[in-house]
Amino acid sequence: MGKAEKVTEKVARTPEKAESPETLDTPESSETPDPLESPVVPVPPVAPAAETPTAPPVEAAPPAEITPERAVLLSSPALDAVDRERLLAGTHHDPHSVLGAHPLPGGVAFRVLRPFARSVTIVSGELRAELHDDGDGFFSGALPLRGVPEYRLVIAYEEQVQEIEDAYRLLPALGDLDLHLIGEGRHEELWRALGSEPMTHQGVTGTRFAVWAPNARGVRVIGGFNFWDGTAYPMRSLGSTGVWELFVPGVGEGELYKFEITRPDGSKTQRADPMARRTEVPPNTSSIVTSSHHEWEDAEWLARRAEVPAHEGPMSIYELHLASWRPGLTYRQLAEQLPAYVRDLGFTHVELMPVAEHPFGGSWGYQVTGFYAPTARLGTPDDFKYLVDALHRAGIGVLMDWVPAHFPRDEWALAEFDGRPLYEHEDPLRAAHPDWGTLEFDFGRREVRNFLVANAVYWCEEFHIDGLRVDAVASMLYLDYSREPGQWTSNEHGGRENLDAVAFLQEMNATMYRRVPGVVTIAEESTAWDGVTRATHHTGPGGFGGLGFGLKWNMGWMHDSLGYVQHDPVHRKHHHHEMTFSMVYAYSENYVLPISHDEVVHGKRSLVSKMPGDWWQQRATERAYLAFMWSHPGKQLLFMGQEFAQGAEWSEAHGPDWWLLDPAYGAEADHRGVRDLVRDLNTVYLDTPALWQQDTVPAGFEWLVGDAAEDNVFAFVRYDAEGVPLLSISNFSPVVRHDYRIGVPESVPAWQEALNTDALRYGGTDIHNAAPLKPDPQPWHGRPASIRATLPPLATVWLRPA
């Protein structure tokens, strides 16, 4: 028999008092004991985690003293064939029940699985016992101890000796409350429960790994710390939650890892952690153990941002793609340049195209595999926090594109994660996105909803993001989105609405506004769905509660207004209604007016290149259009490069054409002039509450000239909450209109120019109204008084009370 299998043939007398769980001491009896073979075998102590192939020799420790009075009959602790096979196959659901230390009648059994080890020794205080080699990497032994002691493992390999804690002597590092909330799909801080978390657990330093894989036959954690062989690191199933957990001592920040999952059919797959908070730089796909050490300095910003609701305050958004704004810059380098640039131009917010990790850069981040990890292309999660912090300290809010509608099919990521549809819908017709070759989330599964709702909270709480622009909402809301008859099935009421997606969006928004003061959610929703920005507890005409968003992209305004300005001025009179129709529904939702990245790619041309005419007319029309946009009800968003009239479409490969702003190029009257206009638009906008305070109520807007189709002229007045007006007049014809009569509010004794897009410094002809315009008593446009203004060609003029 092996050393650890030798047992005594005497049964010990039961002691009168319980002893502490350590090696049994010598009894007080003076009788000479019979010789006993002890399973405790003295071995030389071994240096922990040797850096070199051999450890220096040390003196042997004396054997632990065990007497026949305290000896008991011990059974063999070696594992049976079934458990051995399941552990080696990676299909054991409860490895902690057979590995580690476990009480036996009269002692404690120790079992260890360490493939390729030459020997394994138990070390506890003065006790050192070499376990028996049971083959296939299994080691076992039984010691006549009264209880399970604290112990360590000394593992000798061919060229290395390690002293480590035994992961299988520890209790689960997830609590009952965590498991209950996960099971209910209500864990709003899911990132704290699942994924990898460095911690000290039961006095041991290491990392807790946890993953949701309810269909798996077994899960093992693999990584650089075990040479990507998970045999010795099987995880335990934590019951009906479908969560698998393992605390691995000695593993810390920076370690690479994945989960090796045994599918229901017995095949294996290696998957990145769905909850990973840091990843390798693509195309590498491993997850990385991480902790945050960033110390925030934006407390003043966070305290202030909740003072005014987003739809009642000023919001001028600069949209950008971080990786290509200044190609090659890291998060920290961007923090040195981006805040200063955005602040100089007067934008109140930036909107970042998706930051979450994605394998293909050409997707611009809209096909996400790492929903909890900022892309590693630009730095670490703490580096991204540093950028957000810098923007906040500059007084700039940070919005981020969030993509909960779909995910790519990469075999190392979420698709059929544990061998069966898990994050995607089990019905293939519901799972496959017809446009993008991706998979749609199963919004009806509570764990999937929890994954996404917690993810929204995560970005705003952990990274201090001020708002999420939710991508592709329409594709979530409709079961027949981009599907032909026969490719979709109706909901339980016979309708086309995706009731699961509706419930998810309502839960996400309600949770966000409850947990994160001052946050705003913005929907990219391209249909006429009723109540996108209505509160979730208010039911609309369609019978649905509101979706609960704070703002919605006004895709109709964008489509119509761009359509109008792309026509030659001589034909614009036939499309006049395209510029006025938005006011028919302007107060049905809380709107953002978006000129986004989607409008300057894929052959749509850049904003200035959409405009007809020669180069001067193109720039003049863009300037007039931007001022019209800034004065129209709704917040405004402009994509990078359009602020200086870049002629080329955006490309993620090289970003904006910054060289156009170089004085050596002679850009003062061209591109720099448009950029100067954008700066002045934002300056006047912020200083004029009439342009933003009543964006969402009819009292904030009044048409003065809405039907002058032959003239290509539009004029309206905006009011702040105190009734102070600003008059916006746009002339989208290439001719000067002298003494153009416009009816005006009679309460204003005189009007003066606040902004004129035809100013010489913007590249215009400098036709303007130099003197204040005093109203005449002549009625016009239904008003008792009117002014006669000079309207520059292809220009917008703002007038305010003198």
Side-chain angles (χ1 to χ4, degrees):
M1 290 191 297
K3 299 176 183 176
E5 294 174 321
K6 296 179 181 179
V7 297
T8 62
E9 296 181 355
K10 271 193 175 182
V11 180
R13 295 193 299 270
T14 304
E16 296 180 1
K17 296 183 179 180
E19 303 289 339
S20 60
E22 57 188 19
T23 304
L24 300 181
D25 55 6
T26 303
E28 297 179 357
S29 172
S30 60
E31 298 180 9
T32 303
D34 294 333
L36 272 179
E37 293 181 285
S38 170
V40 179
V41 181
V43 296
V46 184
E51 298 293 333
T52 56
T54 58
V58 294
E59 295 183 3
E65 195 171 2
I66 300 177
T67 64
E69 285 78 9
R70 299 297 171 91
V72 295
L73 181 66
L74 301 180
S75 60
S76 172
L79 286 178
D80 60 36
V82 173
D83 282 325
R84 286 171 64 106
E85 181 179 353
R86 290 174 65 198
L87 285 168
L88 292 175
T91 59
H92 207 297
H93 73 286
D94 191 12
H96 291 70
S97 67
V98 292
L99 298 178
H102 299 276
L104 289 176
V108 175
F110 296 86
R111 303 186 189 97
V112 176
L113 173 56
R114 285 286 162 168
F116 310 112
R118 297 180 61 188
S119 66
V120 176
T121 301
I122 301 295
V123 177
S124 178
E126 296 298 318
L127 171 64
R128 305 178 67 83
E130 183 177 334
L131 302 183
H132 179 258
D133 186 345
D134 298 327
D136 294 326
F138 290 96
F139 297 82
S140 66
L143 299 180
L145 308 176
R146 294 195 180 282
V148 177
E150 291 189 3
Y151 67 93
R152 293 170 63 85
L153 303 175
V154 175
I155 304 173
Y157 294 98
E158 189 70 32
E159 295 182 344
Q160 187 181 30
V161 177
Q162 296 178 333
E163 180 171 342
I164 63 172
E165 298 283 353
D166 187 358
Y168 297 92
R169 77 173 180 85
L170 304 173
L171 298 172
L174 277 178
D176 291 340
L177 179 59
D178 285 318
L179 294 175
H180 172 75
L181 293 174
I182 291 171
E184 292 290 319
R186 299 288 181 181
H187 203 308
E188 295 176 2
E189 297 181 356
L190 190 65
W191 68 92
R192 302 187 189 279
L194 298 182
S196 61
E197 182 69 29
M199 60 172 60
T200 298
H201 176 52
Q202 292 181 236
V204 178
T205 300
T207 295
R208 183 222 61 214
F209 296 92
V211 62
W212 178 59
N215 299 308
R217 291 178 60 188
V219 182
R220 302 191 286 206
V221 61
I222 58 176
F225 54 89
N226 59 16
F227 302 99
W228 301 96
D229 180 0
T231 306
Y233 293 83
M235 305 176 74
R236 62 178 144 206
S237 171
L238 298 180
S240 61
T241 61
V243 173
W244 299 76
E245 180 268 353
L246 179 66
F247 179 84
V248 182
V251 171
E253 293 182 54
E255 291 281 5
L256 304 183
Y257 73 97
K258 284 187 177 181
F259 295 114
E260 181 187 79
I261 296 173
T262 303
R263 300 182 178 107
D265 65 1
S267 64
K268 288 181 168 51
T269 179
Q270 295 183 359
R271 299 292 175 131
D273 182 0
M275 303 292 299
R277 289 173 287 146
R278 184 182 173 192
T279 69
E280 285 189 289
V281 178
N284 297 321
T285 59
S286 295
S287 305
I288 302 179
V289 177
T290 189
S291 287
S292 178
H293 303 284
H294 179 74
E295 296 183 4
W296 290 95
E297 299 179 16
D298 62 349
E300 181 180 348
W301 167 267
L302 296 180
R304 190 175 68 249
R305 73 177 181 183
E307 292 175 354
V308 178
H311 64 281
E312 295 179 4
M315 180 177 285
S316 183
I317 305 167
Y318 183 68
E319 186 194 22
L320 70 147
H321 180 247
L322 278 178
S324 66
W325 184 72
R326 298 271 185 169
L329 297 187
T330 65
Y331 290 129
R332 290 185 179 268
Q333 291 168 335
L334 283 162
E336 302 303 318
Q337 298 187 32
L338 181 61
Y341 181 81
V342 175
R343 184 171 185 174
D344 174 65
L345 290 185
F347 287 97
T348 65
H349 291 72
V350 293
E351 181 177 311
L352 309 178
M353 291 170 68
V355 175
E357 192 59 89
H358 49 283
F360 176 48
S363 76
W364 310 331
Y366 290 98
Q367 294 192 8
V368 179
T369 49
F371 280 81
Y372 284 78
T375 179
R377 294 171 174 87
L378 308 181
T380 68
D382 272 2
D383 293 339
F384 179 57
K385 290 181 179 181
Y386 182 87
L387 171 60
V388 175
D389 211 351
L391 286 161
H392 283 171
R393 293 196 306 272
I396 299 163
V398 182
L399 311 175
M400 189 185 82
D401 274 13
W402 185 56
V403 192
H406 65 127
F407 57 92
R409 297 174 179 266
D410 298 71
E411 62 181 8
W412 50 269
L414 297 182
E416 292 193 352
F417 181 75
D418 58 4
R420 291 178 181 165
L422 188 65
Y423 289 91
E424 67 271 40
H425 203 283
E426 62 182 0
D427 181 353
L429 292 180
R430 293 280 297 274
H433 197 289
D435 290 342
W436 304 320
T438 53
L439 296 170
E440 297 184 5
F441 281 103
D442 181 1
F443 301 111
R445 185 161 191 165
R446 63 180 181 272
E447 297 94 341
V448 174
R449 285 202 310 272
N450 192 175
F451 174 81
L452 293 171
V453 171
N455 186 242
V457 174
Y458 169 76
W459 287 105
C460 292
E461 291 193 351
E462 291 293 317
F463 291 91
H464 292 197
I465 298 297
D466 302 294
L468 300 177
R469 176 266 194 185
V470 183
D471 181 65
V473 171
S475 74
M476 293 188 274
L477 290 175
Y478 297 98
L479 296 168
D480 63 344
Y481 184 87
S482 288
R483 293 178 171 90
E484 300 297 327
Q487 296 180 335
W488 64 281
T489 55
S490 60
N491 63 34
E492 60 192 58
H493 304 298
R496 57 196 283 256
E497 301 85 3
N498 187 337
L499 303 181
D500 293 334
V502 171
F504 155 66
L505 291 171
Q506 290 174 328
E507 180 183 349
M508 182 275 296
N509 281 313
T511 304
M512 288 283 285
Y513 281 102
R514 171 172 50 83
R515 288 187 62 112
V516 190
V519 75
V520 62
T521 57
I522 306 170
E524 185 215 16
E525 203 283 311
S526 55
T527 73
W529 183 279
D530 178 64
V532 173
T533 59
R534 189 169 56 235
T536 56
H537 59 280
H538 289 164
T539 303
F544 296 100
L547 296 183
F549 284 94
L551 297 166
K552 171 184 172 176
W553 274 20
N554 193 334
M555 309 294 281
W557 173 89
M558 176 274 298
H559 179 271
D560 291 345
S561 63
L562 287 180
Y564 174 85
V565 295
Q566 289 181 77
H567 289 291
D568 189 275
V570 72
H571 300 302
R572 284 175 180 160
K573 62 183 178 182
H574 303 298
H575 302 272
H576 194 79
H577 68 284
E578 294 177 5
M579 290 289 269
T580 60
F581 182 66
S582 59
M583 291 311 303
V584 173
Y585 60 88
Y587 305 108
S588 61
E589 304 281 2
N590 303 332
Y591 283 117
V592 173
L593 312 179
I595 301 299
S596 72
H597 65 278
D598 279 332
E599 311 316 316
V600 296
V601 291
H602 301 324
K604 295 180 183 179
R605 297 172 293 173
S606 70
L607 182 58
V608 72
S609 297
K610 296 178 191 291
M611 310 305 177
D614 59 25
W615 177 230
W616 186 92
Q617 290 175 318
Q618 286 181 308
R619 287 182 293 117
T621 306
E622 178 180 352
R623 294 195 304 267
Y625 179 78
L626 290 174
F628 175 86
M629 171 184 175
W630 252 250
S631 57
H632 189 285
K635 315 308 176 185
Q636 59 275 344
L637 175 145
L638 189 65
F639 184 61
M640 66 181 191
Q642 314 318 300
E643 78 274 17
F644 59 84
Q646 173 173 312
E649 286 188 347
W650 168 62
S651 166
E652 79 278 359
H654 60 73
D657 292 331
W658 297 109
W659 58 272
L660 294 172
L661 296 172
D662 190 339
Y665 179 70
E668 285 82 354
D670 290 5
H671 303 281
R672 298 180 82 182
V674 175
R675 189 183 65 175
D676 290 343
L677 169 68
V678 170
R679 180 189 295 110
D680 290 349
L681 285 173
N682 281 324
T683 299
V684 179
Y685 172 80
L686 290 173
D687 291 340
T688 309
L691 291 174
W692 45 263
Q693 200 169 54
Q694 297 197 96
D695 272 334
T696 60
V697 293
F701 176 91
E702 188 175 11
W703 276 116
L704 299 179
V705 182
D707 57 358
E710 293 291 336
D711 299 334
N712 297 346
V713 170
F714 305 86
F716 53 82
V717 65
R718 299 293 308 278
Y719 296 97
D720 66 17
E722 303 300 322
V724 178
L726 181 133
L727 176 57
S728 176
I729 310 169
S730 297
N731 175 22
F732 283 102
S733 66
V735 299
V736 182
R737 301 199 181 277
H738 297 283
D739 293 329
Y740 195 86
R741 189 172 290 278
I742 299 174
V744 293
E746 58 183 336
S747 59
V748 178
W751 299 83
Q752 65 182 14
E753 286 191 0
L755 182 138
N756 185 332
T757 66
D758 193 51
L760 191 63
R761 66 181 181 278
Y762 306 144
T765 61
D766 210 28
I767 295 174
H768 60 280
N769 297 274
L773 301 176
K774 297 183 179 181
D776 297 330
Q778 182 173 349
W780 208 259
H781 297 131
R783 297 284 179 170
S786 57
I787 59 173
R788 291 182 301 171
T790 297
L791 307 185
L794 298 175
T796 293
V797 177
W798 290 353
L799 303 174
R800 62 167 41 136

